[in-house]
């Protein structure tokens, strides 16, 4: 508020002061040099009020043109020169306003871009870390806090955090070896499966990708690490495999059960043929009906087997080798 008032007063008083100087100069027949003083309020207006810069320039220019017309009403050349200068005032104000608006637009765009990047980095579902040449943590995002249970305040500047969250020494040495490799080659490594130990002792499984980063100002690379928690996926895959195995066992048992039912039916039919029972026709019809039901179960079991084979072939989550 105070800054805006100061700017407005500066524009107003400088315009009035230059207007008074213009009257003095024009009254003495001087038409050169002093008009350049009008650039002061015009440029201030265009810079601080870019959307109104053209209108301000046109208004301020009138403080110059009107006195010229008053003092040199009969001199067409002087009046024409004043109008040309007024046009120059407006054009320059328009150019300054355009550059200021463009600069503000780029600044706003950069702010939006930075905000967008920060949202990506602070994704609560993805672990993002950056470590320096000494393996000290310099970035530890919200996702890293959620997955490991360690807050940023306990991690930044530390290089030993990996020994706490990696339970297996072989995993630690393997990770160090890969980091040295990508630092020397400035490359990247994707898809490293690792078990992490949270601060509360819970085991979480993640897939880690590493990327070496360097800048023109420094030769030593930083390491960007991105990890995705796959603990829930592993649990679901295990449940899927268990369910699939159970289905296979049930289908196998169904085959065996069907055979066990058919054998007694065959014996019953044989006994009826031998004894020529009066209820022979009724019993035979019932036996045939039972046999048809069992045959339908056989066909359903075959279809189930085909479905199981299809799932194993096309869906990795059902593959027991995973």
């Amino acid at each position: 508020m105070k800054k805006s008032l100061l700017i407005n007063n500066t524009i107003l008083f400088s315009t009035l002061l230059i207007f008074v100087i213009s009257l003095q100069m024009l009254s003495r027949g001087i038409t050169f040099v002093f008009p350049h003083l009008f650039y002061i309020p015009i440029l201030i207006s265009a810079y601080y009020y870019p959307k109104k810069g053209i209108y301000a320039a046109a208004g301020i220019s009138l403080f110059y043109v009107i006195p010229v017309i008053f003092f040199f009403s009969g001199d067409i050349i002087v009046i024409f020169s004043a109008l040309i200068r007024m046009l120059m005032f407006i054009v320059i104000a328009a150019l300054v306003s355009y550059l200021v608006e463009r600069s503000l637009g780029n600044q706003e765009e950069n702010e939006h871009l930075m905000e967008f990047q920060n949202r990506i980095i602070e994704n609560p579902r993805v672990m993002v870390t950056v470590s320096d040449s000494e393996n000290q943590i310099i970035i530890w995002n919200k996702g890293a806090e959620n997955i490991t249970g360690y807050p940023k305040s306990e991690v930044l500047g530390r290089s030993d955090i990996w020994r706490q969250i990696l339970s297996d020494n072989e995993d630690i040495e393997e990770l160090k070896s890969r980091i040295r490799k990508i630092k020397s080659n400035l490359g990247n490594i994707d898809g490293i499966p690792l078990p992490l130990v949270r601060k509360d002792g819970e085991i979480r499984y993640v897939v880690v990708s590493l990327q070496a980063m360097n800048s023109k100002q420094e030769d030593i690379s930083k390491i960007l690490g991105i990890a995705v928690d796959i603990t829930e996926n592993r649990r679901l895959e295990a449940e899927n495999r268990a369910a699939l195995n159970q289905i296979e066992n049930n289908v196998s048992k169904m085959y065996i059960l069907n055979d066990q039912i058919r054998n007694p039916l065959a014996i019953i039919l044989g006994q009826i043929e031998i004894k020529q029972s009066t209820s022979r026709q009724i019993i035979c019809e019932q036996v045939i009906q039972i046999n048809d039901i069992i045959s339908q179960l056989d066909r359903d079991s075959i279809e189930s087997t085909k479905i199981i084979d299809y799932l194993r072939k096309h869906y990795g989550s059902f593959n027991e080798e995973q």
Side-chain angles (χ1 to χ4, degrees):
M1 183 67 178
K2 292 182 179 180
K3 182 179 179 181
S4 177
L5 182 61
L6 178 61
I7 293 170
N8 291 338
N9 289 336
T10 301
I11 295 171
L12 177 60
F13 288 124
S14 62
T15 301
L16 293 177
L17 178 60
I18 296 168
F19 176 67
V20 172
I21 295 173
S22 300
L23 293 178
Q24 292 291 328
M25 293 295 181
L26 290 172
S27 64
R28 298 178 183 182
I30 301 173
T31 60
F32 54 90
V33 179
F34 76 87
H36 296 289
L37 295 174
F38 281 98
Y39 280 116
I40 296 174
I42 287 174
L43 293 179
I44 293 175
S45 301
Y47 181 81
Y48 286 101
Y49 303 103
K51 293 184 178 180
K52 301 178 181 179
I54 296 177
Y55 306 108
I60 294 171
S61 298
L62 293 177
F63 284 89
Y64 165 67
V65 173
I66 291 175
V68 169
I69 296 174
F70 177 78
F71 285 103
F72 296 89
S73 58
D75 194 332
I76 301 299
I77 295 177
V78 174
I79 295 174
F80 183 74
S81 297
L83 293 174
I84 294 297
R85 186 169 282 113
M86 178 181 179
L87 179 62
M88 290 298 297
F89 288 157
I90 295 173
V91 169
I92 291 176
L95 179 60
V96 172
S97 297
Y98 169 75
L99 293 176
V100 170
E101 281 196 315
R102 183 175 179 181
S103 175
L104 293 175
N106 290 338
Q107 182 179 355
E108 185 177 354
E109 183 178 348
N110 290 335
E111 289 176 355
H112 287 316
L113 180 60
M114 287 296 297
E115 183 181 357
F116 178 70
Q117 290 173 340
N118 288 333
R119 287 182 179 178
I120 294 176
I121 293 175
E122 291 300 325
N123 188 319
R125 298 180 179 275
V126 179
M127 180 177 177
V128 178
T129 67
V130 176
S131 55
D132 60 17
S133 58
E134 302 298 327
N135 292 330
Q136 294 179 344
I137 301 298
I138 57 178
I139 291 180
W140 188 265
N141 78 330
K142 188 67 176 177
E145 293 182 337
N146 293 339
I147 292 175
T148 66
Y150 288 92
K152 185 184 301 184
S153 58
E154 296 182 13
V155 173
L156 293 182
R158 293 177 55 184
S159 60
D160 61 339
I161 185 63
W162 304 113
R163 291 194 174 277
Q164 292 184 235
I165 64 177
L166 294 176
S167 59
D168 194 332
N169 288 331
E170 292 184 2
D171 290 335
I172 296 174
E173 295 304 320
E174 176 68 16
L175 188 60
K176 284 185 176 180
S177 174
R178 297 197 180 201
I179 289 175
R180 287 193 294 268
K181 181 178 179 181
I182 64 175
K183 274 187 177 180
S184 61
N185 299 330
L186 294 180
N188 65 286
I189 298 177
D190 295 324
I192 307 173
L194 289 174
L196 301 183
V197 181
R198 281 175 49 87
K199 187 177 181 179
D200 57 11
E202 180 187 358
I203 302 294
R204 308 293 293 182
Y205 294 92
V206 297
V207 173
V208 180
S209 296
L210 301 175
Q211 173 72 53
M213 303 187 303
N214 68 333
S215 63
K216 296 180 180 179
Q217 291 78 18
E218 53 188 359
D219 298 328
I220 302 175
S221 299
K222 295 180 176 63
I223 299 296
L224 167 67
I226 299 176
V228 179
D229 191 342
I230 60 168
T231 305
E232 187 65 16
N233 292 345
R234 285 172 60 94
R235 183 185 67 80
L236 292 176
E237 288 175 4
E239 290 180 356
N240 288 338
R241 287 195 297 270
L244 187 59
N245 291 335
Q246 185 62 48
I247 293 173
E248 285 185 321
N249 291 335
N250 291 343
V251 170
S252 298
K253 291 178 180 179
M254 182 64 69
Y255 283 130
I256 296 172
L257 181 61
N258 289 350
D259 290 337
Q260 290 175 345
I261 295 175
R262 277 199 175 94
N263 289 336
L265 289 178
I267 294 173
I268 292 172
L269 286 175
Q271 292 296 320
I272 292 173
E273 291 292 339
I274 293 173
K275 296 185 177 181
Q276 294 295 322
S277 170
T278 54
S279 303
R280 175 176 177 276
Q281 183 176 357
I282 296 175
I283 295 174
C284 286
E285 288 176 355
Q286 296 300 315
V287 168
I288 292 172
Q289 186 175 351
I290 294 172
N291 187 66
D292 290 341
I293 293 173
I294 295 173
S295 297
Q296 182 61 48
L297 290 175
D298 279 338
R299 289 191 291 270
D300 292 342
S301 298
I302 292 172
E303 290 300 320
S304 297
T305 303
K306 291 180 179 179
I307 292 174
I308 293 171
D309 292 340
Y310 176 84
L311 292 176
R312 286 196 179 281
K313 180 178 179 181
H314 294 282
Y315 294 91
S317 60
F318 291 106
N319 192 339
E320 291 183 5
E321 295 180 357
Q322 278 192 319

